[in-house]
């Protein structure tokens, strides 16, 4: 990705000035420049190159890594760039004495399984750490089981222990709607929600909470818990991958493991995905990974069964027959047998 491709960070460049070169004490509380620092005052008056500041913070590297790791998801990547740009601009504003409240950074990621929500949450934690908004920048990923107890007095310590581990970083709660079970009068999830609400409001400088799950279920969850919905500033929807993107993801996954499709295997895998996509429990990139794992098993069995010498290329190449032996090319597969 070239520098010019970072459109959200595209800013006028009057002076290439590192933010660290401008001493905070040269700016008064109302934004006026202090008279006893004329050189710094002139530098601030001429301008600050916020794009340079973003690049020096390492934020661009994180976003470039995200582009390499995840195929598609352009709306998601745009929103991440926008959030990062806002934080960089806030840094510049503080140098001019333009104080503002710390932005609310709690988020909700909605979409189907396997669309990259956890990966983006990890990268978001790194961005916030590099810009100084999180002390550690680590990710703690949990589900209901890690937060909600099974008896009275069990939930609060479990939830607080998770929050303690997540302090200074991002707490990622997958399938967050399972925290609230309205139909069960003896469910302890509401206690976990109340503790989360308190921390999200009172300690938002120390932790960022990202809730994740299917969009319709998350909408219901927020309707039942308006306090939670009001604390989420950024709602980001992760679209399903199309067929071309799934094949591209497969190529990336294979390349990372020193495998590659033969010329016949690539269209065979494309056909496999076209059959798999409409079926129940399809999970986007996860289903791609599962299909490739099974193809590797068939390739290994094929190579061992030949009883012949194999070359380096043989060991790296996935053939069409390794794909076509999937159950999704049989009658049972077409009728919805377990993923194969």
């Amino acid at each position: 990705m070239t520098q010019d491709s970072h459109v959200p960070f595209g800013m006028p460049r009057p002076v290439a000035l590192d933010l660290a070169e401008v001493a905070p004490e040269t700016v008064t509380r109302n934004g006026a420049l202090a008279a006893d620092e004329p050189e710094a005052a002139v530098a601030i008056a001429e301008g600050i190159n916020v794009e340079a500041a973003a690049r020096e913070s390492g934020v661009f590297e994180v976003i470039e890594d995200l582009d390499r790791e995840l195929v598609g998801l352009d709306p998601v990547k745009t929103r991440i760039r926008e959030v990062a740009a806002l934080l960089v601009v806030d840094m510049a504003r503080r140098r001019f004495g333009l104080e503002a409240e710390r932005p609310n950074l709690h988020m909700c990621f909605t979409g189907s399984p396997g669309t990259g929500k956890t990966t983006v949450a990890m990268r978001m934690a790194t961005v916030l750490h590099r810009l100084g908004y999180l002390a550690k920048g680590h990710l703690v990923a949990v589900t209901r089981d890690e937060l909600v107890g099974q008896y009275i007095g069990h939930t609060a310590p479990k939830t607080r222990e998770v929050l303690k581990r997540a302090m200074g970083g991002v707490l990622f709660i997958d399938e967050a709607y399972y925290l609230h079970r309205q139909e069960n009068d003896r469910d302890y999830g509401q206690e976990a929600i109340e503790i989360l609400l308190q921390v999200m409001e009172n300690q938002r400088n120390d932790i960022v909470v990202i809730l994740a799950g299917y969009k319709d279920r998350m909408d219901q969850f927020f309707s039942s818990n308006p306090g939670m919905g009001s604390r989420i500033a950024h709602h980001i929807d992760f679209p399903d991958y199309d067929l071309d993107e799934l094949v591209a993801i497969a190529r990336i996954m294979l390349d990372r493991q020193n495998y590659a499709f033969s010329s016949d295997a690539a269209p065979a895998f494309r056909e496999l995905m076209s059959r798999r996509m409409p079926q129940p429990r399809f999970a986007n990139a996860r289903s791609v990974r599962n299909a490739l794992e099974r193809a590797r098993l068939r390739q290994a069995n094929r190579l061992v069964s030949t009883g012949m010498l194999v070359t380096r290329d043989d060991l790296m190449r996935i053939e069409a027959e390794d794909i076509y032996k999937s159950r999704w090319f049989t009658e049972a597969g077409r009728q919805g047998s377990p993923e194969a």
Side-chain angles (χ1 to χ4, degrees), residues 109-137:
F109 291 174
T110 54
S112 303
T115 50
K117 296 187 291 296
T118 304
T119 299
V120 171
M122 292 173 63
R123 295 296 172 263
M124 195 71 243
T126 303
V127 166
L128 296 176
H129 174 59
R130 292 192 178 185
L131 291 177
Y133 282 82
L134 288 175
K136 298 179 182 178

Side-chain angles (χ1 to χ4, degrees), residues 252-272:
I252 292 172
M253 288 180 175
L254 287 175
D255 184 66
R256 287 175 182 164
Q257 300 183 75
N258 296 307
Y259 283 90
F261 287 131
S262 69
S263 57
D264 294 335
F269 188 82
R270 183 183 181 87
E271 184 179 353
L272 172 62

Side-chain angles (χ1 to χ4, degrees), residues 3 6 8-11 17-20 48-64 80-92 126-127 130-131:
Q3 180 171 338
H6 295 284
F9 293 118
M11 304 292 291
L17 178 67
D18 186 348
L19 294 180
I48 292 175
N49 188 331
V50 291
E51 184 182 14
R55 188 167 295 282
E56 289 166 12
S57 73
V59 169
F60 281 177
E61 295 174 10
V62 179
I63 294 176
E64 287 164 1
I80 299 304
R81 291 189 186 102
E82 290 172 347
V83 171
L86 171 65
L87 301 183
V88 171
V89 168
D90 274 359
M91 289 167 56
T126 303
V127 166
R130 292 192 178 185
L131 291 177

Side-chain angles (χ1 to χ4, degrees), residues 22-284:
V22 184
E25 57 270 18
T26 64
V27 183
T28 65
R29 292 293 295 175
N30 63 2
L33 298 173
D36 57 344
E37 298 287 350
E39 292 183 6
V42 170
I44 296 177
E46 289 181 351
I48 292 175
N49 188 331
V50 291
E51 184 182 14
R55 188 167 295 282
E56 289 166 12
S57 73
V59 169
F60 281 177
E61 295 174 10
V62 179
I63 294 176
E64 287 164 1
D65 287 344
L66 194 63
D67 276 332
R68 283 191 293 268
E69 289 181 32
L70 295 179
V71 173
L73 298 180
D74 290 340
V76 175
K77 294 173 182 176
T78 296
R79 179 61 72 86
I80 299 304
R81 291 189 186 102
E82 290 172 347
V83 171
L86 171 65
L87 301 183
V88 171
V89 168
D90 274 359
M91 289 167 56
R93 284 172 53 88
R94 287 196 296 273
R95 291 297 182 181
F96 284 95
L98 302 172
E99 296 294 336
E101 281 189 11
R102 176 188 170 105
N104 179 353
L105 297 171
H106 301 311
M107 304 179 184
C108 177
F109 291 174
T110 54
S112 303
T115 50
K117 296 187 291 296
T118 304
T119 299
V120 171
M122 292 173 63
R123 295 296 172 263
M124 195 71 243
T126 303
V127 166
L128 296 176
H129 174 59
R130 292 192 178 185
L131 291 177
Y133 282 82
L134 288 175
K136 298 179 182 178
H138 63 298
L139 179 83
V140 174
V142 299
T143 60
R144 171 190 163 90
D145 290 342
E146 284 88 2
L147 295 168
V148 181
Q150 299 177 346
Y151 51 84
I152 295 175
H154 192 204
T155 294
K158 286 188 71 170
T159 302
R160 292 195 177 103
E161 175 58 29
V162 168
L163 287 166
K164 181 179 178 180
R165 286 194 284 123
M167 282 296 163
V170 169
L171 175 61
F172 181 83
I173 306 176
D174 199 13
E175 297 183 314
Y177 33 76
Y178 286 132
L179 290 175
H180 182 81
R181 291 180 172 171
Q182 246 180 342
E183 70 282 359
N184 188 349
D185 293 337
R186 296 186 178 182
D187 183 72
Y188 304 112
Q190 191 60 41
E191 184 179 0
I193 291 173
E194 290 171 1
I195 295 172
L196 286 169
L197 288 173
Q198 292 174 7
V199 171
M200 290 170 70
E201 182 64 28
N202 300 330
Q203 295 180 259
R204 63 180 189 174
N205 290 355
D206 304 315
I207 189 172
V208 169
V209 176
I210 299 179
L211 309 179
Y214 288 107
K215 188 177 188 312
D216 56 345
R217 296 185 187 179
M218 288 306 304
D219 289 343
Q220 293 174 6
F221 174 75
F222 290 135
S223 296
S224 302
N225 298 273
M228 184 68 77
S230 66
R231 284 167 175 77
I232 300 295
H234 305 280
H235 294 260
I236 304 177
D237 188 50
F238 287 63
D240 288 335
Y241 292 110
D242 63 29
L243 185 55
D244 289 337
E245 290 170 337
L246 292 171
V247 175
I249 289 169
R251 291 184 185 277
I252 292 172
M253 288 180 175
L254 287 175
D255 184 66
R256 287 175 182 164
Q257 300 183 75
N258 296 307
Y259 283 90
F261 287 131
S262 69
S263 57
D264 294 335
F269 188 82
R270 183 183 181 87
E271 184 179 353
L272 172 62
M273 285 294 102
S274 70
R275 295 180 181 220
R276 181 68 185 94
M277 289 171 70
Q279 300 298 328
R281 299 184 299 279
F282 177 70
N284 289 279

Side-chain angles (χ1 to χ4, degrees), residues 306-322:
T306 60
M308 300 172 62
L309 294 176
V310 296
T311 66
R312 184 175 186 272
D313 286 345
D314 292 331
L315 293 169
M316 294 176 62
R317 190 169 55 246
I318 301 294
E319 298 286 0
E321 62 184 291
D322 304 325

